[in-house]
Amino acid sequence: MIFITAKFRVRPEHADQWPQIAAEFTQATRAEPGCLWFDWSRSLDDPNEYVLVEAFRDDEAGAAHVQSEHFKKAQQTLPPHLAETPRIINTTLAQQDWSRLGEMAVPEN
């Protein structure tokens, strides 16, 4: 899978509305057949920073994502709300889902 984490620093005046601002893009991406997940979190340390964790099935799914109409639209509509260019980590992993964190295993009942 292609695993991506990106940090988005949003302009302070748009930070509280970011989930709504990015909602159309988020919903359309989650509906892509090759999207495994596409999840936003807000930083606990910086209320103007959102972290996006996303994964796509393979290179083909990743390519389809960046070539989609909703991605092209987001390239136009999202940057005006940002304080800086997002930072990204993009890697390919030989798995298709989350692994369990054994060091914090919770006993099953």
Side-chain angles (χ1 to χ4, degrees):
M1 78 173 151
I2 298 173
F3 183 81
I4 301 165
T5 302
K7 290 187 174 191
F8 289 73
R9 294 224 354 107
V10 179
R11 293 182 184 276
E13 64 271 23
H14 301 288
D16 288 340
Q17 292 78 34
W18 183 254
Q20 292 79 27
I21 292 166
E24 183 180 331
F25 177 54
T26 299
Q27 292 167 0
T29 302
R30 288 177 176 166
E32 293 175 21
C35 180
L36 300 175
W37 58 81
F38 193 86
D39 298 319
W40 293 96
S41 297
R42 194 171 193 178
S43 172
L44 297 176
D45 297 324
D46 181 352
N48 299 323
E49 183 176 77
Y50 284 83
V51 177
L52 175 61
V53 179
E54 56 187 304
F56 297 91
R57 182 186 60 241
D58 52 26
D59 289 338
E60 184 178 298
H65 171 62
V66 298
Q67 295 168 6
S68 69
E69 288 303 315
H70 57 271
F71 188 88
K72 292 174 186 173
K73 182 176 179 183
Q75 287 179 297
Q76 301 302 312
T77 61
L78 298 184
H81 302 281
L82 300 176
E84 64 185 34
T85 300
R87 292 165 287 145
I88 188 170
I89 296 172
N90 182 334
T91 190
T92 301
L93 301 172
Q95 62 190 71
Q96 292 294 307
D97 204 350
W98 292 90
S99 300
R100 294 192 180 263
L101 179 59
E103 295 82 0
M104 293 191 186
V106 174
E108 294 185 28
N109 294 331

